Amino acid sequence: YLANLAYMDTEEEIKGGLDHDLSEWKYVTAKLNNAPGEPAHYIAISKDSLSPESSLPMGLLGRRNSLDVLIVVRGTKDFSDGLSDGLLDAVDFRGGKAHNGIVEAGQFIVNRYREFLNDMMKTYNRSNIKLTLIGHSLGAGAATIAGMLYNEDEKNIDANVVGFGCPSLLSKDLSESTEGYVTTIISDSDLVPRLSAPTIINAFFDILSYDWVARGLKDLQFAIDSLRKKLPFIPFEKLENMYVLIKT
């Protein structure tokens, strides 16, 4: 639900979705005018973490001196997002390889809100932020990159990521390094999480090398038999001759 809200066209729609159905979150801001490498997203803050008790040190009421913040990144919706998806080349990233376009999108989120999140800690008198990043498709990938950067570079931010239909974007070693804080959810045979430049090339060669004749003959014979049953008054000799010619 939170990921779906990122696809709304106006801030009012996002606010309404949070206020009416998910009262634990309070809307903060959004960027809906996306651009290549700059995915649309919104930010919310947990109402519970704004209560006076949540600022008490650990040990008093069992709460930490933290602020719960939510960043939700939209997936592919228009041509600009498609350009980010299309930058498939693998670039060096944190000792491994990563999807170029998605790295740019994740870095954009981090750079845009580095000072903003620090100001939020000062405003609400908190020493750290518990950050949850959620995204779908392109948004899931951007959220993953942002979560990696926050956890590695920002000592006062503890990030966790939930991605729906996250693209294949990290080399194996990098992917395994995120196991403790990134959760990805894939729907059955969703194409996007399995799509990459190598898989596209492999699929192309598989199609070229596939022997379609046997299956095509089977389909043609099925069509002839079906038509003969439904239209017995029509001669199908020419079609049957074509079947024999192809088979031989």
Side-chain angles (χ1 to χ4, degrees), residues 115-161:
E115 293 302 321
F116 182 84
L117 294 177
N118 287 329
D119 290 342
M120 287 184 71
M121 282 190 281
K122 294 177 183 178
T123 299
Y124 294 105
N125 191 28
R126 301 294 194 272
S127 63
N128 60 81
I129 284 179
K130 300 293 184 183
L131 178 63
T132 301
L133 296 124
I134 296 176
H136 167 251
S137 189
L138 168 64
T144 297
I145 294 296
M148 295 176 69
L149 296 175
Y150 279 126
N151 281 333
E152 294 179 17
D153 299 340
E154 305 294 332
K155 63 179 182 180
N156 294 327
I157 296 178
D158 180 17
N160 284 282
V161 181

Side-chain angles (χ1 to χ4, degrees), residues 140-141 144 161-167 169 175 178 181-187 193:
T144 297
V161 181
V162 178
F164 297 91
C166 185
L169 71 145
S175 179
T178 67
Y181 59 90
V182 175
T183 300
T184 57
I185 301 167
I186 299 174
S187 176

